[in-house]
Amino acid sequence: METLIPVINKLQEIFNTVGAEIIQLPQIVVVGSQSSGKSSVLESIVGRDFLPRGSGIVTRRPLILQLVHVSTLEERRQTANGESGVQADEWATFLHCKHKTVLDFTEIRQEIESETERTTGTNKGISPEPLYLKIYSPHVLSLTLVDLPGITKVPVGDQPLDIEVQVRDMILSYISNPNCLILAVTAANTDMATSEALKLARDVDPDGRRTLAVLTKLDLMDAGTDAMDVLMGRVIPVKLGIIGVVNRSQQDINSNKSISDSLQDEQGFLQKKYPSLANRNGTRYLAKTLNRLLMHHIRDCLPELKTRVNVLTAQYQSVLQSYGEPIEDKNATLLQIITKFATEYCNTIEGTARNIETSELCGGARMCYIFHETFGRTLESIDPLAGLTMLDILTAIRNATGPRPALFVPEVSFELLVKRQIKRLEEPSLRCVELVHEELQRIIQHCSTYNTQELLRFPKLHEAIVEVVTGVLRRRLPITNEMVHNLVAIELAYINTKHPDFIDTAVVSASVSSSKNEAVPDGGRRWKSEKTEEPGTEDKPKGSSQTSVYSSPSRSHAVNLLDTPMPAARKLSQREQRDCEVIRRLIKSYFLIVRKSIQDSVPKTVMHFLVNYVKDHLQSELVGQLYKPQLLDSLLTESEDMAQQRNEAANMLKVTGRGGVVALQKASQTISEIRETQLW
């Protein structure tokens, strides 16, 4: 058990060296109001004067005090391997002065004062930055204590207006650690129920399992009163107990009264005023109690502490490994990152990437969806005869015949109308190219996400890679669009009525004629009407002038009836209806052939001119534009955040000696030095 506290002190040194607060080590935190006697209690435990004294706020920054019990100088000289080469019974060291050993305790006070003033100034300011002091003595028990600034209410000197909040937050940051014991100091000449120290302790330790109360200044209570009820726990019960002590007065300090004499006077006072409680109060009993409590507390915390150290070691090693090793060969590093990105990009398109999205389609899968779902369904939703009325067909037939009446349906009208419908396939085809181009852009971000460590480490290289890939895609987009435009233009250039899938005109004519003979004669049709009616409907009155036979333009005044505001109307003859129906069926048949061809050829065109080109030429483009000697230094410049994070991780895992033992590993070895039997 006696080895537990030195182990914690070693761990404290290890983590203080690298400035880490990730491990919450067991320690005793002294909390109390200003001038309640906290520093006096610490000096009594040590047995030497070494802390700054005075009125008002004297402790202005946390002091982490490690007491180490050592053998006397005579005993150490008798042993072959002494605990220290210092030729003194008592000495001290500061963490900020690692190679300096202080033998005179007056120098300790001066060093504390000067270091405090360096950080906080000379006019009552405070600082949360701790000061580490280690005292070796044969007259102390091994303890780790933290002396904090006293709780104050009103700012003085250079103290900020929120001094109360700052001190409270500083105290809470220490006592909120579940691994710390709270030493709540209260003056006996004040009401225990108003103790700020006990109130703060109860806020963070409501069960009282780690709070020990200390009642100071027992000799300064009003005449006729005593602290018997308080010490017995009848006023405010404290689970770990209440221990009373007698501090040295300011007159004793001024007269340089030794602490050993003060301890004797304290025992005499307790024997006289509290004889039944004398053996359970006093500074010596307090020191033994603290030592016992701390050892038991450390025993309870040590298994969890060991697990925490091992977990953190693995985490920091993983983090440091993810940040990469320092660059030795910049050429190889640049080529490696470029090759890795290009491979990941191509694998994402092929669907063989290591990191496959599960929340949404990406890469080649999304392209397949665009080709066969988005683009395919869009083409299939296009009506072959959309926007093409019987009136438009009849007008086209009449325009194609010129001034002579036609005996047969003119082919020119069919070509004119079918080309108009085929042109409607161009817009969704170009939109398909645009969607694939957008997906290729998204793959850049996808690859960046899963190559985060390398690309975050070198932000300029990341920007350069994105710029090169975007440039390749930008160059290929107009070429692909031009080819898709040509596909539609090819279909428009030659209407192949001899296509094996195209229906025969004679068969269509015969089919239409037979169906017309069986059908009821159609009703009136509007000529150049704004509202298109279905064939065979007749809603107009028979006596209406609008149902009169359409007169020839040659027999009326010179008016272009196709453009008249009030269009004339007439009944379509059976032949006109038959001709229009033939043209409709031919247009639909040929449009379906072209649509099928476009639906098949556009994805192939996009794959060849855009996707496969980028896959085949991406790495060569990246190497050609980025692998240049003059760009190496700028591209492989690490980001400030990444460099800082690596330094922090390296500090936790950095080499601390010739043996190559890293900080966390050294902490783990230190804990492992305790045999399991010593824990229980």
Side-chain angles (χ1 to χ4, degrees), residues 267 269-272 274-282 285:
Q267 283 299 314
F269 176 82
L270 291 173
Q271 290 289 349
K272 179 180 178 182
Y274 306 98
S276 61
L277 301 177
N279 62 337
R280 286 183 285 139
N281 288 275
Y285 181 77

Side-chain angles (χ1 to χ4, degrees), residues 155-351:
V156 295
D158 290 338
Q159 293 177 353
L161 296 177
D162 62 340
I163 182 67
E164 180 184 2
V165 176
Q166 286 192 20
V167 173
R168 179 184 176 86
D169 291 344
M170 186 191 306
I171 293 173
L172 288 175
S173 68
Y174 281 89
I175 65 177
S176 297
N177 173 10
N179 291 341
C180 91
L181 291 172
I182 305 171
L183 195 64
V185 178
T186 305
N189 55 1
T190 61
D191 191 346
M192 190 78 167
T194 63
S195 172
E196 288 284 346
L198 283 177
K199 181 180 182 300
L200 284 175
R202 283 194 174 183
D203 289 342
V204 297
D205 181 33
D207 297 333
R209 295 181 178 179
R210 51 190 183 90
T211 301
L212 176 68
V214 176
L215 203 62
T216 61
K217 304 181 181 180
L218 287 175
D219 56 332
L220 298 182
M221 296 187 68
D222 293 339
T225 62
D226 61 31
M228 183 67 71
D229 290 342
V230 175
L231 294 175
M232 294 290 290
R234 296 170 185 160
V235 179
I236 297 179
V238 179
K239 187 170 292 188
L240 296 184
I242 302 174
I243 299 176
V245 297
V246 177
N247 301 107
R248 288 188 302 162
S249 65
Q250 190 63 40
Q251 182 179 353
D252 293 337
I253 297 171
N254 295 337
S255 61
N256 294 325
K257 183 178 181 179
S258 67
I259 290 182
S260 58
D261 293 340
S262 297
L263 293 179
Q264 292 179 359
D265 292 345
E266 179 189 48
Q267 283 299 314
F269 176 82
L270 291 173
Q271 290 289 349
K272 179 180 178 182
K273 292 283 292 183
Y274 306 98
S276 61
L277 301 177
N279 62 337
R280 286 183 285 139
N281 288 275
T283 302
R284 291 191 176 94
Y285 181 77
L286 173 62
K288 292 179 181 179
T289 303
L290 289 176
N291 184 267
R292 175 177 54 83
L293 290 175
L294 186 58
M295 283 195 297
H296 285 284
H297 193 63
I298 291 173
R299 181 197 64 185
D300 297 337
C301 297
L302 208 56
E304 181 184 351
L305 195 63
K306 184 175 182 178
T307 302
R308 175 72 173 153
V309 168
N310 292 336
V311 169
L312 281 174
T313 302
Q315 287 179 354
Y316 274 94
Q317 285 175 340
S318 176
V319 168
L320 193 60
Q321 185 177 2
S322 67
Y323 291 151
E325 298 295 329
I327 303 173
E328 296 180 358
D329 187 349
K330 291 187 176 182
N331 293 296
T333 302
L334 181 60
L335 280 177
Q336 181 182 4
I337 294 175
I338 288 176
T339 303
K340 186 176 180 181
F341 181 89
T343 303
E344 185 73 18
Y345 192 92
C346 296
N347 289 343
T348 303
I349 295 176
E350 293 294 334

